[in-house]
């Protein structure tokens, strides 16, 4: 059964252990955006922990934005995974503060979700393979009904650096796998993109320009030259 986990991560002392949620004790006037994480139930602990560690290191902020973490699991049953993934994507679409979705799913589930999110200009970080990366790097891909790329793929095969394994294990009390590291690096890419010039509007208070975020994420972190 799919479970929804939603929480704010806005201070460095976030409760990472067990991948629970924590809320800041310090009120802030910073504009808030959401970062969603979707993963199969069996991989969720690792993926969510990697994402939360990246947020904690950034003290829950990127540029002018305060970041809320929101996580949802997808069934491990392939027969239900695509339905779950699409339902989760629709939930993200209803979130007016949604900035990006980090997803760790099989191709059959992730592609329809990326398609749906692209229609609303929501950026996606996919923990995928080289073939999916090549497709994501193609601006004319069927993944993009809007005609504008909004997804990057963090491919497997790079392993887990010793420094990351050490810091992750010390803070969370369990050993990270490659999915945790890929989620961590994917979230770091989103945070860097959120802080880039032009991603926050000139309104008072600033608002998120989703198109600018997607363009920056793909341009700076898509790594499409190697696809």
């Amino acid at each position: 059964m799919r479970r929804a986990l939603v929480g704010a991560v806005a201070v460095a002392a976030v409760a990472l252990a067990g991948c629970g949620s924590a809320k800041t004790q310090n009120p802030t006037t910073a504009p808030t955006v959401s970062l969603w994480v979707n993963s199969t139930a069996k991989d969720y602990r690792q993926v969510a922990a990697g994402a939360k560690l990246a947020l904690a290191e950034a003290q829950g902020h990127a540029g002018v934005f305060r970041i809320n973490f929101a996580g949802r699991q997808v069934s491990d049953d392939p027969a239900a995974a695509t339905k779950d993934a699409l339902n989760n994507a629709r939930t993200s679409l209803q979130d007016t503060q949604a900035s990006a979705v980090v997803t760790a799913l099989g191709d059959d589930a992730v592609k329809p979700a990326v398609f749906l999110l692209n229609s609303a200009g929501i950026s996606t970080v996919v923990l995928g393979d080289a073939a999916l990366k090549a497709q994501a790097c193609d601006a004319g891909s069927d993944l993009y009904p809007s005609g504008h790329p909004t997804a990057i793929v963090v491919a497997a095969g790079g392993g887990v650096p010793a420094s990351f394994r050490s810091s992750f294990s010390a803070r969370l009390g369990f050993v990270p796998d490659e999915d945790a590291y890929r989620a961590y690096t994917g979230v770091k890419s989103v945070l860097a993109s959120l802080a880039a010039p032009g991603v926050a509007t000139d309104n008072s208070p600033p608002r998120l320009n989703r198109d600018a975020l997607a363009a920056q994420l793909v341009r700076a972190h898509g790594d499409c030259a190697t696809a």
Side-chain angles (χ1 to χ4, degrees), residues 38-40 43 47 102-106 110 125-127 179:
N38 293 323
S39 173
T40 55
D43 295 327
V47 173
V102 178
T103 182
L105 307 170
V110 76
V125 175
V126 181
L127 308 191
D179 281 349

Side-chain angles (χ1 to χ4, degrees), residues 1-184:
M1 179 179 294
R2 187 180 68 246
R3 294 179 295 157
L5 304 173
V6 181
V9 181
V11 288
V14 63
L16 284 169
C19 299
S21 63
K23 292 189 177 182
T24 177
Q25 301 300 312
N26 303 315
T28 176
T29 58
T32 300
V33 297
S34 303
L35 177 69
W36 287 84
V37 171
N38 293 323
S39 173
T40 55
K42 66 182 178 61
D43 295 327
Y44 184 84
R45 185 187 189 210
Q46 291 279 349
V47 173
K52 287 186 177 184
L53 180 57
L55 288 172
E57 289 179 352
Q59 299 183 36
H61 287 79
V64 301
F65 298 109
R66 176 176 176 265
I67 316 298
N68 272 0
F69 174 91
R72 292 179 73 88
Q73 295 183 13
V74 169
S75 174
D76 291 327
D77 180 359
T82 299
K83 180 181 178 181
D84 281 357
L86 285 171
N87 285 339
N88 289 353
R90 293 186 183 102
T91 299
S92 298
L93 292 177
Q94 294 168 2
D95 179 3
T96 59
Q97 297 177 326
S99 63
V101 176
V102 178
T103 182
L105 307 170
D107 282 6
D108 288 343
V110 76
K111 289 180 180 180
V114 171
F115 181 94
L116 191 59
L117 293 165
N118 175 264
S119 67
I122 298 177
S123 300
T124 312
V125 175
V126 181
L127 308 191
D129 58 19
L132 187 58
K133 181 175 180 177
Q135 189 172 359
C137 284
D138 178 3
S141 169
D142 291 343
L143 292 172
Y144 305 132
S146 72
H148 303 288
T150 53
I152 66 170
V153 173
V154 184
V160 180
S163 58
F164 177 79
R165 181 181 295 107
S166 176
S167 62
F168 183 104
S169 300
R171 296 187 70 167
L172 279 78
F174 62 97
V175 178
D177 64 14
E178 190 174 7
D179 281 349
Y181 181 66
R182 293 160 72 199
Y184 171 86

